[in-house]
């Protein structure tokens, strides 16, 4: 976490850095921005503001929703490719962050190494937003919470996450640990979120009253759940392991057989999906799937995050 103003972190790197009150306020604004958007009302809270977007990995949702979000709020976004910027080859990460801070009001960075977004944030005087790292995906988790809370109260919802304990799982764990609720994670014991993430989440859950269940049994996780979530078994950068991952995670597939244990559950997936691996077509395209609402909410949740960070910059 970098310098805080009024208990409000400068950056949006990990939800574990944010208080429940601040996250709840961002979520409430995300719901409001969605209502305004659907009524066709214009919200120009970021007029004249510019966002730099640095992506080391591919993206559809994060790129388009940040760029469209800035345009809709009256601002502008610039996409930077790593080969143009040359962090570590043309200049240091810190020098890139110091330059950008003189021109733009915020930076979104999607990197492999989580330490790089922390390095950018430490050197930048403007907010840095984590657009996904190997470790975390906090913007995704905010859209996930928006998608859940537009249907149910978080405190009364049992959310099951089944599959790889990756960046998406870690941020969902952080989100529910900060805000409260029930999360059941079914992963192979070898593929839980890293110990540092689990330890911090346990501290946050002790404070919020969140209930977190760890299991290797997908049926135990999904039984009677209100929401069942999965993500790819092979994340970006792990392609060399994809064959062994397919074998390891096969018992964790979201299919009709597993979901018979959660007859009322809505289905979440951050997308992109590897259809036929972690989720079957009939589930992803079925009547209980809310994955495109969830994708839509990336726009509204991130507009709320942008307002929270960039109006202070
Ligand atoms: N869910 C998500 O972050 O999608 P992209 O990788 O397309 O941005
Ligand atoms: N866990 C996936 C999420 C993609 C949005 C990955 O990191 O590739």
């Amino acid at each position: 976490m970098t310098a805080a103003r009024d208990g409000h972190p400068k950056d949006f790197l990990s939800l574990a850095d944010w208080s429940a009150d601040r996250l709840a306020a961002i979520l409430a604004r995300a719901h409001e921005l969605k209502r305004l958007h659907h009524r066709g009302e214009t919200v120009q809270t970021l007029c004249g503001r510019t966002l730099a977007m640095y992506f080391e990995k591919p993206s559809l949702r994060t790129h388009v929703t940040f760029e469209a979000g800035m345009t809709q709020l009256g601002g502008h976004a610039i996409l930077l490719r790593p080969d143009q910027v040359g962090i570590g080859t043309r200049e240091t990460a810190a020098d890139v962050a110091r330059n950008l801070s003189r021109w733009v009001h915020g930076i979104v960075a999607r990197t492999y190494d989580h330490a790089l977004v922390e390095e950018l944030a430490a050197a930048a005087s403007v907010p840095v937003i984590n657009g996904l790292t190997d470790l975390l995906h906090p913007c995704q988790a905010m859209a996930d919470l928006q998608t859940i809370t537009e249907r149910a109260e978080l405190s009364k919802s049992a959310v099951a996450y089944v599959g790889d304990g990756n960046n998406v799982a870690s941020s969902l764990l952080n989100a529910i640990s900060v805000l409260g609720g029930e999360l059941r994670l079914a992963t192979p014991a070898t593929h839980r979120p890293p110990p540092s993430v689990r330890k911090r989440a346990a501290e946050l859950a002790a404070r919020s009253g969140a209930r977190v269940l760890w299991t290797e049994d997908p049926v135990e996780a999904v039984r009677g759940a209100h929401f069942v979530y999965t993500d790819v078994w092979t994340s970006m950068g792990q392609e060399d392991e994809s064959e062994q991952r397919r074998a390891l995670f096969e018992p964790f597939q979201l299919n009709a057989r597993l979901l018979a244990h959660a007859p009322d559950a809505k289905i979440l997936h951050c997308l992109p999906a590897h259809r036929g691996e972690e989720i079957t077509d009939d589930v992803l395209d079925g009547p209980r799937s809310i994955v495109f609402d969830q994708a839509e909410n990336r726009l509204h949740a991130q507009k709320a995050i942008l307002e929270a960070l960039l109006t202070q910059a």
Side-chain angles (χ1 to χ4, degrees), residues 214-239:
W214 298 96
T215 178
E216 292 172 59
D217 177 5
V219 173
E220 184 185 10
V222 308
R223 191 176 287 126
H226 303 104
F227 297 90
V228 178
Y229 196 152
T230 194
D231 182 22
V232 293
W233 295 337
T234 299
S235 286
M236 292 179 280
Q238 298 173 330
E239 287 77 9

PDB file of all heavy atoms in Angstrom, residues 214-239:
ATOM      1  N   TRP A 214     -12.201 -23.675   3.374  1.00  0.00           N
ATOM      2  CA  TRP A 214     -11.239 -24.230   2.419  1.00  0.00           C
ATOM      3  C   TRP A 214     -11.520 -25.708   2.260  1.00  0.00           C
ATOM      4  O   TRP A 214     -11.630 -26.424   3.247  1.00  0.00           O
ATOM      5  CB  TRP A 214      -9.816 -24.031   2.945  1.00  0.00           C
ATOM      6  CG  TRP A 214      -9.461 -22.588   3.107  1.00  0.00           C
ATOM      7  CD1 TRP A 214      -9.543 -21.862   4.252  1.00  0.00           C
ATOM      8  CD2 TRP A 214      -8.994 -21.713   2.091  1.00  0.00           C
ATOM      9  NE1 TRP A 214      -9.145 -20.565   4.009  1.00  0.00           N
ATOM     10  CE2 TRP A 214      -8.797 -20.447   2.689  1.00  0.00           C
ATOM     11  CE3 TRP A 214      -8.715 -21.862   0.723  1.00  0.00           C
ATOM     12  CZ2 TRP A 214      -8.349 -19.344   1.981  1.00  0.00           C
ATOM     13  CZ3 TRP A 214      -8.253 -20.755   0.023  1.00  0.00           C
ATOM     14  CH2 TRP A 214      -8.077 -19.516   0.650  1.00  0.00           C
ATOM     15  N   THR A 215     -11.607 -26.170   1.029  1.00  0.00           N
ATOM     16  CA  THR A 215     -11.860 -27.594   0.801  1.00  0.00           C
ATOM     17  C   THR A 215     -11.220 -28.017  -0.520  1.00  0.00           C
ATOM     18  O   THR A 215     -10.895 -27.174  -1.362  1.00  0.00           O
ATOM     19  CB  THR A 215     -13.383 -27.881   0.772  1.00  0.00           C
ATOM     20  OG1 THR A 215     -13.604 -29.263   0.505  1.00  0.00           O
ATOM     21  CG2 THR A 215     -14.110 -27.061  -0.278  1.00  0.00           C
ATOM     22  N   GLU A 216     -11.029 -29.317  -0.658  1.00  0.00           N
ATOM     23  CA  GLU A 216     -10.601 -29.857  -1.961  1.00  0.00           C
ATOM     24  C   GLU A 216     -11.778 -30.523  -2.654  1.00  0.00           C
ATOM     25  O   GLU A 216     -11.606 -31.124  -3.711  1.00  0.00           O
ATOM     26  CB  GLU A 216      -9.471 -30.874  -1.750  1.00  0.00           C
ATOM     27  CG  GLU A 216      -8.191 -30.251  -1.274  1.00  0.00           C
ATOM     28  CD  GLU A 216      -7.170 -31.305  -0.886  1.00  0.00           C
ATOM     29  OE1 GLU A 216      -6.810 -32.129  -1.756  1.00  0.00           O
ATOM     30  OE2 GLU A 216      -6.747 -31.314   0.275  1.00  0.00           O
ATOM     31  N   ASP A 217     -12.959 -30.424  -2.045  1.00  0.00           N
ATOM     32  CA  ASP A 217     -14.138 -31.119  -2.566  1.00  0.00           C
ATOM     33  C   ASP A 217     -15.115 -30.113  -3.176  1.00  0.00           C
ATOM     34  O   ASP A 217     -15.777 -29.362  -2.455  1.00  0.00           O
ATOM     35  CB  ASP A 217     -14.798 -31.872  -1.401  1.00  0.00           C
ATOM     36  CG  ASP A 217     -16.077 -32.574  -1.827  1.00  0.00           C
ATOM     37  OD1 ASP A 217     -16.404 -32.549  -3.038  1.00  0.00           O
ATOM     38  OD2 ASP A 217     -16.757 -33.136  -0.956  1.00  0.00           O
ATOM     39  N   PRO A 218     -15.219 -30.080  -4.510  1.00  0.00           N
ATOM     40  CA  PRO A 218     -16.114 -29.110  -5.153  1.00  0.00           C
ATOM     41  C   PRO A 218     -17.564 -29.257  -4.710  1.00  0.00           C
ATOM     42  O   PRO A 218     -18.283 -28.258  -4.599  1.00  0.00           O
ATOM     43  CB  PRO A 218     -15.979 -29.393  -6.651  1.00  0.00           C
ATOM     44  CG  PRO A 218     -14.917 -30.391  -6.820  1.00  0.00           C
ATOM     45  CD  PRO A 218     -14.501 -30.922  -5.489  1.00  0.00           C
ATOM     46  N   VAL A 219     -17.989 -30.487  -4.430  1.00  0.00           N
ATOM     47  CA  VAL A 219     -19.391 -30.691  -4.010  1.00  0.00           C
ATOM     48  C   VAL A 219     -19.628 -30.016  -2.666  1.00  0.00           C
ATOM     49  O   VAL A 219     -20.637 -29.328  -2.465  1.00  0.00           O
ATOM     50  CB  VAL A 219     -19.732 -32.198  -3.948  1.00  0.00           C
ATOM     51  CG1 VAL A 219     -21.124 -32.407  -3.361  1.00  0.00           C
ATOM     52  CG2 VAL A 219     -19.630 -32.834  -5.331  1.00  0.00           C
ATOM     53  N   GLU A 220     -18.677 -30.155  -1.744  1.00  0.00           N
ATOM     54  CA  GLU A 220     -18.820 -29.506  -0.436  1.00  0.00           C
ATOM     55  C   GLU A 220     -18.920 -27.982  -0.606  1.00  0.00           C
ATOM     56  O   GLU A 220     -19.707 -27.316   0.075  1.00  0.00           O
ATOM     57  CB  GLU A 220     -17.614 -29.848   0.459  1.00  0.00           C
ATOM     58  CG  GLU A 220     -17.757 -29.288   1.863  1.00  0.00           C
ATOM     59  CD  GLU A 220     -16.527 -29.506   2.728  1.00  0.00           C
ATOM     60  OE1 GLU A 220     -15.467 -29.919   2.216  1.00  0.00           O
ATOM     61  OE2 GLU A 220     -16.639 -29.234   3.944  1.00  0.00           O
ATOM     62  N   ALA A 221     -18.151 -27.434  -1.544  1.00  0.00           N
ATOM     63  CA  ALA A 221     -18.165 -25.978  -1.742  1.00  0.00           C
ATOM     64  C   ALA A 221     -19.481 -25.495  -2.337  1.00  0.00           C
ATOM     65  O   ALA A 221     -20.025 -24.466  -1.920  1.00  0.00           O
ATOM     66  CB  ALA A 221     -16.996 -25.573  -2.639  1.00  0.00           C
ATOM     67  N   VAL A 222     -20.015 -26.207  -3.317  1.00  0.00           N
ATOM     68  CA  VAL A 222     -21.167 -25.661  -4.052  1.00  0.00           C
ATOM     69  C   VAL A 222     -22.506 -26.020  -3.409  1.00  0.00           C
ATOM     70  O   VAL A 222     -23.525 -25.402  -3.750  1.00  0.00           O
ATOM     71  CB  VAL A 222     -21.193 -26.105  -5.544  1.00  0.00           C
ATOM     72  CG1 VAL A 222     -19.858 -25.801  -6.217  1.00  0.00           C
ATOM     73  CG2 VAL A 222     -21.584 -27.547  -5.721  1.00  0.00           C
ATOM     74  N   ARG A 223     -22.500 -26.990  -2.476  1.00  0.00           N
ATOM     75  CA  ARG A 223     -23.781 -27.492  -1.951  1.00  0.00           C
ATOM     76  C   ARG A 223     -24.605 -26.336  -1.356  1.00  0.00           C
ATOM     77  O   ARG A 223     -24.193 -25.679  -0.415  1.00  0.00           O
ATOM     78  CB  ARG A 223     -23.539 -28.563  -0.901  1.00  0.00           C
ATOM     79  CG  ARG A 223     -24.825 -29.285  -0.524  1.00  0.00           C
ATOM     80  CD  ARG A 223     -24.583 -30.421   0.466  1.00  0.00           C
ATOM     81  NE  ARG A 223     -23.947 -31.577  -0.153  1.00  0.00           N
ATOM     82  CZ  ARG A 223     -22.827 -32.149   0.279  1.00  0.00           C
ATOM     83  NH1 ARG A 223     -22.205 -31.676   1.328  1.00  0.00           N
ATOM     84  NH2 ARG A 223     -22.327 -33.193  -0.343  1.00  0.00           N
ATOM     85  N   GLY A 224     -25.765 -26.062  -1.975  1.00  0.00           N
ATOM     86  CA  GLY A 224     -26.670 -25.027  -1.482  1.00  0.00           C
ATOM     87  C   GLY A 224     -26.161 -23.602  -1.677  1.00  0.00           C
ATOM     88  O   GLY A 224     -26.753 -22.658  -1.142  1.00  0.00           O
ATOM     89  N   ALA A 225     -25.086 -23.412  -2.440  1.00  0.00           N
ATOM     90  CA  ALA A 225     -24.530 -22.058  -2.626  1.00  0.00           C
ATOM     91  C   ALA A 225     -25.486 -21.186  -3.439  1.00  0.00           C
ATOM     92  O   ALA A 225     -26.283 -21.685  -4.246  1.00  0.00           O
ATOM     93  CB  ALA A 225     -23.175 -22.139  -3.321  1.00  0.00           C
ATOM     94  N   HIS A 226     -25.402 -19.877  -3.229  1.00  0.00           N
ATOM     95  CA  HIS A 226     -26.212 -18.933  -4.005  1.00  0.00           C
ATOM     96  C   HIS A 226     -25.497 -18.489  -5.284  1.00  0.00           C
ATOM     97  O   HIS A 226     -26.136 -18.101  -6.255  1.00  0.00           O
ATOM     98  CB  HIS A 226     -26.534 -17.704  -3.147  1.00  0.00           C
ATOM     99  CG  HIS A 226     -27.226 -18.053  -1.868  1.00  0.00           C
ATOM    100  ND1 HIS A 226     -26.595 -18.058  -0.649  1.00  0.00           N
ATOM    101  CD2 HIS A 226     -28.493 -18.468  -1.635  1.00  0.00           C
ATOM    102  CE1 HIS A 226     -27.453 -18.426   0.299  1.00  0.00           C
ATOM    103  NE2 HIS A 226     -28.603 -18.693  -0.279  1.00  0.00           N
ATOM    104  N   PHE A 227     -24.175 -18.507  -5.239  1.00  0.00           N
ATOM    105  CA  PHE A 227     -23.367 -18.130  -6.405  1.00  0.00           C
ATOM    106  C   PHE A 227     -22.226 -19.136  -6.525  1.00  0.00           C
ATOM    107  O   PHE A 227     -21.611 -19.487  -5.522  1.00  0.00           O
ATOM    108  CB  PHE A 227     -22.782 -16.721  -6.239  1.00  0.00           C
ATOM    109  CG  PHE A 227     -23.844 -15.652  -6.153  1.00  0.00           C
ATOM    110  CD1 PHE A 227     -24.365 -15.277  -4.922  1.00  0.00           C
ATOM    111  CD2 PHE A 227     -24.334 -15.051  -7.302  1.00  0.00           C
ATOM    112  CE1 PHE A 227     -25.367 -14.312  -4.833  1.00  0.00           C
ATOM    113  CE2 PHE A 227     -25.329 -14.082  -7.225  1.00  0.00           C
ATOM    114  CZ  PHE A 227     -25.845 -13.716  -5.990  1.00  0.00           C
ATOM    115  N   VAL A 228     -21.968 -19.591  -7.742  1.00  0.00           N
ATOM    116  CA  VAL A 228     -20.839 -20.499  -7.990  1.00  0.00           C
ATOM    117  C   VAL A 228     -19.966 -19.875  -9.073  1.00  0.00           C
ATOM    118  O   VAL A 228     -20.449 -19.533 -10.158  1.00  0.00           O
ATOM    119  CB  VAL A 228     -21.313 -21.903  -8.419  1.00  0.00           C
ATOM    120  CG1 VAL A 228     -20.104 -22.793  -8.716  1.00  0.00           C
ATOM    121  CG2 VAL A 228     -22.174 -22.543  -7.325  1.00  0.00           C
ATOM    122  N   TYR A 229     -18.690 -19.731  -8.754  1.00  0.00           N
ATOM    123  CA  TYR A 229     -17.751 -18.959  -9.576  1.00  0.00           C
ATOM    124  C   TYR A 229     -16.607 -19.868 -10.005  1.00  0.00           C
ATOM    125  O   TYR A 229     -16.095 -20.650  -9.202  1.00  0.00           O
ATOM    126  CB  TYR A 229     -17.199 -17.825  -8.689  1.00  0.00           C
ATOM    127  CG  TYR A 229     -16.498 -16.663  -9.364  1.00  0.00           C
ATOM    128  CD1 TYR A 229     -16.505 -15.413  -8.771  1.00  0.00           C
ATOM    129  CD2 TYR A 229     -15.821 -16.799 -10.570  1.00  0.00           C
ATOM    130  CE1 TYR A 229     -15.870 -14.322  -9.348  1.00  0.00           C
ATOM    131  CE2 TYR A 229     -15.196 -15.718 -11.162  1.00  0.00           C
ATOM    132  CZ  TYR A 229     -15.206 -14.483 -10.542  1.00  0.00           C
ATOM    133  OH  TYR A 229     -14.575 -13.416 -11.126  1.00  0.00           O
ATOM    134  N   THR A 230     -16.196 -19.757 -11.246  1.00  0.00           N
ATOM    135  CA  THR A 230     -14.934 -20.391 -11.640  1.00  0.00           C
ATOM    136  C   THR A 230     -14.163 -19.481 -12.576  1.00  0.00           C
ATOM    137  O   THR A 230     -14.677 -18.473 -13.075  1.00  0.00           O
ATOM    138  CB  THR A 230     -15.151 -21.769 -12.292  1.00  0.00           C
ATOM    139  OG1 THR A 230     -13.894 -22.460 -12.338  1.00  0.00           O
ATOM    140  CG2 THR A 230     -15.716 -21.672 -13.698  1.00  0.00           C
ATOM    141  N   ASP A 231     -12.905 -19.822 -12.785  1.00  0.00           N
ATOM    142  CA  ASP A 231     -12.032 -19.097 -13.718  1.00  0.00           C
ATOM    143  C   ASP A 231     -11.158 -20.148 -14.402  1.00  0.00           C
ATOM    144  O   ASP A 231     -11.130 -21.326 -13.993  1.00  0.00           O
ATOM    145  CB  ASP A 231     -11.183 -18.063 -12.947  1.00  0.00           C
ATOM    146  CG  ASP A 231     -10.283 -17.240 -13.871  1.00  0.00           C
ATOM    147  OD1 ASP A 231     -10.589 -17.147 -15.081  1.00  0.00           O
ATOM    148  OD2 ASP A 231      -9.267 -16.704 -13.381  1.00  0.00           O
ATOM    149  N   VAL A 232     -10.422 -19.711 -15.406  1.00  0.00           N
ATOM    150  CA  VAL A 232      -9.581 -20.641 -16.182  1.00  0.00           C
ATOM    151  C   VAL A 232      -8.603 -21.389 -15.285  1.00  0.00           C
ATOM    152  O   VAL A 232      -8.199 -20.907 -14.230  1.00  0.00           O
ATOM    153  CB  VAL A 232      -8.791 -19.878 -17.280  1.00  0.00           C
ATOM    154  CG1 VAL A 232      -9.739 -19.336 -18.329  1.00  0.00           C
ATOM    155  CG2 VAL A 232      -7.922 -18.764 -16.690  1.00  0.00           C
ATOM    156  N   TRP A 233      -8.232 -22.570 -15.745  1.00  0.00           N
ATOM    157  CA  TRP A 233      -7.245 -23.374 -15.012  1.00  0.00           C
ATOM    158  C   TRP A 233      -5.817 -22.943 -15.380  1.00  0.00           C
ATOM    159  O   TRP A 233      -4.877 -23.185 -14.632  1.00  0.00           O
ATOM    160  CB  TRP A 233      -7.430 -24.858 -15.354  1.00  0.00           C
ATOM    161  CG  TRP A 233      -8.754 -25.417 -14.882  1.00  0.00           C
ATOM    162  CD1 TRP A 233      -9.541 -24.916 -13.868  1.00  0.00           C
ATOM    163  CD2 TRP A 233      -9.430 -26.568 -15.388  1.00  0.00           C
ATOM    164  NE1 TRP A 233     -10.656 -25.697 -13.722  1.00  0.00           N
ATOM    165  CE2 TRP A 233     -10.621 -26.719 -14.636  1.00  0.00           C
ATOM    166  CE3 TRP A 233      -9.156 -27.489 -16.394  1.00  0.00           C
ATOM    167  CZ2 TRP A 233     -11.531 -27.751 -14.869  1.00  0.00           C
ATOM    168  CZ3 TRP A 233     -10.054 -28.520 -16.626  1.00  0.00           C
ATOM    169  CH2 TRP A 233     -11.229 -28.646 -15.868  1.00  0.00           C
ATOM    170  N   THR A 234      -5.678 -22.364 -16.576  1.00  0.00           N
ATOM    171  CA  THR A 234      -4.360 -21.896 -17.019  1.00  0.00           C
ATOM    172  C   THR A 234      -4.452 -20.393 -17.247  1.00  0.00           C
ATOM    173  O   THR A 234      -5.065 -19.940 -18.214  1.00  0.00           O
ATOM    174  CB  THR A 234      -3.950 -22.606 -18.336  1.00  0.00           C
ATOM    175  OG1 THR A 234      -3.880 -24.011 -18.087  1.00  0.00           O
ATOM    176  CG2 THR A 234      -2.612 -22.111 -18.846  1.00  0.00           C
ATOM    177  N   SER A 235      -3.883 -19.631 -16.346  1.00  0.00           N
ATOM    178  CA  SER A 235      -3.912 -18.177 -16.479  1.00  0.00           C
ATOM    179  C   SER A 235      -2.840 -17.712 -17.456  1.00  0.00           C
ATOM    180  O   SER A 235      -1.911 -18.473 -17.784  1.00  0.00           O
ATOM    181  CB  SER A 235      -3.682 -17.529 -15.110  1.00  0.00           C
ATOM    182  OG  SER A 235      -4.836 -17.655 -14.313  1.00  0.00           O
ATOM    183  N   MET A 236      -2.962 -16.448 -17.860  1.00  0.00           N
ATOM    184  CA  MET A 236      -1.996 -15.876 -18.802  1.00  0.00           C
ATOM    185  C   MET A 236      -0.584 -15.972 -18.211  1.00  0.00           C
ATOM    186  O   MET A 236      -0.362 -15.564 -17.073  1.00  0.00           O
ATOM    187  CB  MET A 236      -2.351 -14.413 -19.088  1.00  0.00           C
ATOM    188  CG  MET A 236      -3.650 -14.262 -19.864  1.00  0.00           C
ATOM    189  SD  MET A 236      -4.089 -12.537 -20.190  1.00  0.00           S
ATOM    190  CE  MET A 236      -4.814 -12.044 -18.629  1.00  0.00           C
ATOM    191  N   GLY A 237       0.329 -16.559 -18.980  1.00  0.00           N
ATOM    192  CA  GLY A 237       1.698 -16.742 -18.506  1.00  0.00           C
ATOM    193  C   GLY A 237       1.982 -18.165 -18.050  1.00  0.00           C
ATOM    194  O   GLY A 237       3.131 -18.524 -17.827  1.00  0.00           O
ATOM    195  N   GLN A 238       0.927 -18.994 -17.920  1.00  0.00           N
ATOM    196  CA  GLN A 238       1.127 -20.376 -17.437  1.00  0.00           C
ATOM    197  C   GLN A 238       0.937 -21.398 -18.557  1.00  0.00           C
ATOM    198  O   GLN A 238       0.736 -22.584 -18.285  1.00  0.00           O
ATOM    199  CB  GLN A 238       0.111 -20.677 -16.316  1.00  0.00           C
ATOM    200  CG  GLN A 238       0.260 -19.778 -15.103  1.00  0.00           C
ATOM    201  CD  GLN A 238      -0.859 -19.970 -14.088  1.00  0.00           C
ATOM    202  OE1 GLN A 238      -1.984 -20.307 -14.460  1.00  0.00           O
ATOM    203  NE2 GLN A 238      -0.552 -19.741 -12.831  1.00  0.00           N
ATOM    204  N   GLU A 239       0.973 -20.935 -19.798  1.00  0.00           N
ATOM    205  CA  GLU A 239       0.600 -21.796 -20.926  1.00  0.00           C
ATOM    206  C   GLU A 239       1.435 -23.079 -20.993  1.00  0.00           C
ATOM    207  O   GLU A 239       0.943 -24.122 -21.426  1.00  0.00           O
ATOM    208  CB  GLU A 239       0.697 -21.006 -22.249  1.00  0.00           C
ATOM    209  CG  GLU A 239      -0.418 -19.966 -22.435  1.00  0.00           C
ATOM    210  CD  GLU A 239      -0.224 -18.679 -21.621  1.00  0.00           C
ATOM    211  OE1 GLU A 239       0.874 -18.498 -21.032  1.00  0.00           O
ATOM    212  OE2 GLU A 239      -1.156 -17.863 -21.560  1.00  0.00           O
TER     213      GLU A 239
END
